[in-house]
Amino acid sequence: MGLIEEIVRVSNTKEQGAPIIKELVIGIGNKELHNFSMPFLENIYSTFKGAVHVAVGNEPDRSGVHSDKVLKVIKDIRQKMPGAQVTVPFAYSIMHRSHPINKSKLEKEFVDTYRDILPELDYFTINIYPFLSAGTRGVKLNSLLGTGMPFLNDQIAALRVALNRDFPHNMLPLAIGETGWPTCGAAKANPYVFATLDYAEKFLRNVGHWLESNASDGVITSGQLFTAFDEETKGTRAIERYYGILTSNGSIKNAYSCVTNATEPDQAWLEEVYPDCEADLDWMVKNFDNPYLAEKFVNRDIDGSLCSFQQYLYDRWATCPPVTRIPGYNVVAEGHMVYGQSAAKTKCWSQRLAYKYSDRGAIVKPSWSHVKDKSHEGAAQHAHTEHAINDTKQSAQDFGLEGNGSMSDVNLQIFWINLDSSPERRSEMQKMLADLRWRVASNVNVQATRVPAITPADVKAMQRNNTLSVEATLIDACTLPCPMHHARGELLYTEVACTLSHLRAMDLAHAARVESALILEDDMRVYEQLGDDLEQLMQISPKGWSALQMSTVNTKALLALASANAPFVPREEHFYGTGSYFIHRSGMEQLQALYHARRFLRQPGSPGAGSLQAEPLLFGALPKHSVFTATHFYFNFLEFPTTVHKMSANSDYYTVSSLRWQMNFLHRHRSRLTNTVAQAQTQISARLQSSTFLAMTTLMCRDNAGFDGEVHSLAKNIRQLAIYNFTWVIYVIVPNASEVGNCPGLENFNEFRQPSVTMNYRVVSGRFSKWVYYTEDVDQFEKYDFFIVYDADMGLSTFPWVEYFHRHDEYASKFGVAPVTGSVRNRSPFFPLKRDWWQRCNRSSIRFLETDLIEQWFAMLSGKFATWFLRKIVSTGIIMDQRTLGVDWGVDSTWCGAAAEWSNREAGCLLIPIDMFHGDTRSLKQDVVFHQNGEHLTNLWWERMPQWMTTSSIWLGSFFQDHMLGCSPCGLEERYHMPVDLRSVVPIVPTDLPDNRSHHNVEGLADPGSASGSSYKKNSSSKDDDTEERSEASPLLAYSLWPLSLLVILSRQECL
């Protein structure tokens, strides 16, 4: 307040050189409308000798300020300061349409809300930014910032037409409250790319001339530029900090004036890829302790640290990267090998932000580090010495792995590769093998031979002796990501040594005259189930096999193998890994003949040196139809740093993997061979016919094509599934009691009069939740084998139920029964629940997989589980909240966690990616109120069922709606189901830039409490839609130089 009083005092003096201020505009911030000082305003009004203007609020329509509050303040000012000019600044987003000009109109909500306020104003103020239309198709850049301001003129003309349309007798003069062009913060997305000094200078010069000239006469009465100075500490995105005419210290701007987040090289990528991230972190820091927003954050693993804020912002709005995202632009991948940049960081690793938010205390970092562990630099790889050392005193014996004989005693011949310089690995392997001998069946003889691995020094010696030829340039370590070296025709000495070590193991096995051998690398664990199943496994092995790959390091491959319906499948190229495999004598001899001269050539048509790695040289060189991969998991990994893909100590890159997740998956999914590998289709059909089903849905009675489609679909479902024991319950929703029992159109279908069908009428005039009706009698579900919940437009009649149950029962026989199962459809906000997802990226062979979300448009629940689960849900009172809010969100967000608890399993839900037809009649009206109620209901679920909500939290966020994931080689498939303790450990590898869109970003919605404009954005057909949020975190001083006036925003900070 002292600043304003000083301005008034100086302006009123007659001292020489004192500025003469003709107009003073005092702005009352939205948050100050309820407690500003009227005596202070009266004092200014009575003492200032120029014109006084009062701006009541700033874009109150976008800030959740009730119009009644604005109107009360205006009337108080009118009474106390009758000569003051009163206005309210509005954002241009009040326009519903601005093109063509003659058809312009205001948003109906704005007209209805502010109808009584406009007659009280002296002039209408609009905040308008042509910058926000930069890059829009059909909008020429010169029209935005060129001479005469043609685009701005059109915007003002459209506003005038719209105001005259809805307020024909109120010809308010127009004024520009804010306009400007940022000088910094350029990013890839429009309009950010146009935030440069050159464009800003041109706009300011031309808009200034336009404001001063006659060209603006009759168009506007005055205008202010936003703003006088840059505000580098302003808690918003980069462009918001640099609208100033001058720098923050008052100097003239130049090419070196930009001071953005990009001044930290390790975060430069974030300014472009996630331009809203810091703005939203600011919002989180500001609002985390706000009791009025507590329900947004409760029980969501937010501990007040920047990393927890960053993860929350990704989950909710996708405006920050997930904490485990590999940072930087360049994330290089080849097969299962992924490389990130050591220098790149995410926001919550920033020392600048640590200083900026020093009041938050120490930054809490995730348990997984982006930075490579220096302690493992120089770790040796799979090789050393020239002589084999037998781990046992028994001679190698043939254990007859032909697959066509029967054995009473089984000899398991293991040849394991280990470096002399890796004693810690050797010790672990020896302990594991000793333990294995005690655990296997008594008729299994485990005989293990250690194979000293070839070293890089050995490879170099072979080169000097001309006993080795490799069609590549060999290097000691990767300075760039290894795939980039491969592309340049370079190969690591360690990679060659790895291949030679495997060939040495085969030579030793062949010399020992074994018919087949198990080759192991020294980071593998063998489960005792291998010994139990070995005889049967070899009896059913494919005829004519040369190699049986027993493990892979590719997650998609693991999912496909776990769901395969045969004990072995032909090996595919992306089944990477040579950690464990059986090699038949015939395979040994073929590879010995091919590589006897140790001459390694690239595969025809394979550019670079990638085809000279172990997998293509070993498995790829054997006859194509003789190499198979086991679908039962008898092996796991020991966690050691990689010793093959060696990085230079000077490299700016590091390797990442999802090894922790794979170890968990393999351990949980190790299984025994069953006597019957796959059940016959006839057995499944018989099980289908003997099971009982209770199927529930709702049908909204209405007169349109969508209703007709749903009725026909329901009738067909009942008719086609009559061969099974289905009981159908349909809740018919009618708007008033007079229509109970009388929904036009239903009388034409005999299917609805069948004994197996119950039609329950419910009167609802507005929104409703189906679970209010489904839970009227929760005890009934346990009387059936299965409870099916589905939408009325789902095509149950054309669904392949036999195949669905075949996969359902196959999973149960291997890993136990999943209480909740679901399918995929043609439309879903979640990519993995869409049909097309499973036709890309080597996913087509995945027949079922565990998941942490099954949507409620179709789900099949165990009847006993359904009763137990819904009893607990009802007991929380949240069904009554659903009744009040008219939204059914949340039930499907919790049943996977509940199913895991009920069945004492890590994963409770199973997704079977078979397409179910979806008619998509869109009977549900998803408007602003629907989503606001849904968000509130979601918060209630988090308050009452946090453990179950946590299970599905990855799905409930933006992860599976983010286009950056694509065919990610690491971190994507792992998150269908991921234990909570691995979520901050397994890294996420992007394959594209994010588009910051998700199911939260619903068109037509505006959420004033959201973290940024990137959450709910108000939809406007106007090409001038103002998508930027303006922060009121600090006082704003903005000058208009044409004509001279002063605008002061009154804030609580100034009052202090």
Side-chain angles (χ1 to χ4, degrees), residues 786-805:
F786 300 101
F787 167 51
I788 294 177
V789 54
Y790 68 104
D791 289 350
D793 55 0
M794 299 306 302
L796 275 63
S797 61
T798 57
F799 190 61
W801 286 96
V802 172
E803 175 61 20
Y804 184 79
F805 258 82

Side-chain angles (χ1 to χ4, degrees), residues 609-765:
S611 64
L612 295 172
Q613 298 178 82
E615 289 94 333
L617 285 179
L618 300 177
F619 298 139
L622 295 171
K624 186 174 182 179
H625 300 295
S626 71
V627 182
F628 298 85
T629 303
T631 64
H632 286 68
F633 304 134
Y634 300 101
F635 298 84
N636 207 330
F637 306 105
L638 299 174
E639 192 172 7
F640 288 106
T642 179
T643 58
V644 176
H645 303 109
K646 188 176 178 182
M647 302 302 296
S648 166
N650 299 322
S651 175
D652 292 331
Y653 294 86
Y654 60 97
T655 59
V656 299
S657 73
S658 57
L659 179 65
R660 291 275 191 90
W661 183 92
Q662 293 176 359
M663 291 171 64
N664 175 274
F665 182 86
L666 289 168
H667 186 71
R668 290 192 304 108
H669 291 83
R670 66 192 191 280
S671 62
R672 295 288 310 276
L673 284 173
T674 56
N675 293 328
T676 304
V677 176
Q679 289 181 284
Q681 295 289 324
T682 54
Q683 291 177 294
I684 297 297
S685 297
R687 174 163 150 70
L688 259 174
Q689 291 173 348
S690 63
S691 297
T692 56
F693 302 85
L694 174 61
M696 281 189 179
T697 191
T698 56
L699 177 65
M700 292 181 62
C701 187
R702 60 200 189 281
D703 184 17
N704 59 28
F707 173 73
D708 293 339
E710 290 176 357
V711 171
H712 279 84
S713 177
L714 290 174
K716 188 176 181 181
N717 293 342
I718 296 168
R719 187 169 60 252
Q720 296 293 332
L721 296 179
I723 59 174
Y724 305 127
N725 296 320
F726 270 74
T727 297
W728 305 89
V729 176
I730 302 172
Y731 288 92
V732 184
I733 310 301
V734 295
N736 53 70
S738 63
E739 298 185 17
V740 171
N742 181 29
C743 182
L746 297 185
E747 70 278 0
N748 298 324
F749 293 88
N750 291 326
E751 288 83 355
F752 300 130
R753 293 188 288 273
Q754 298 299 316
S756 62
V757 180
T758 300
M759 307 291 282
N760 293 325
Y761 283 80
R762 297 293 182 268
V763 179
V764 183
S765 58

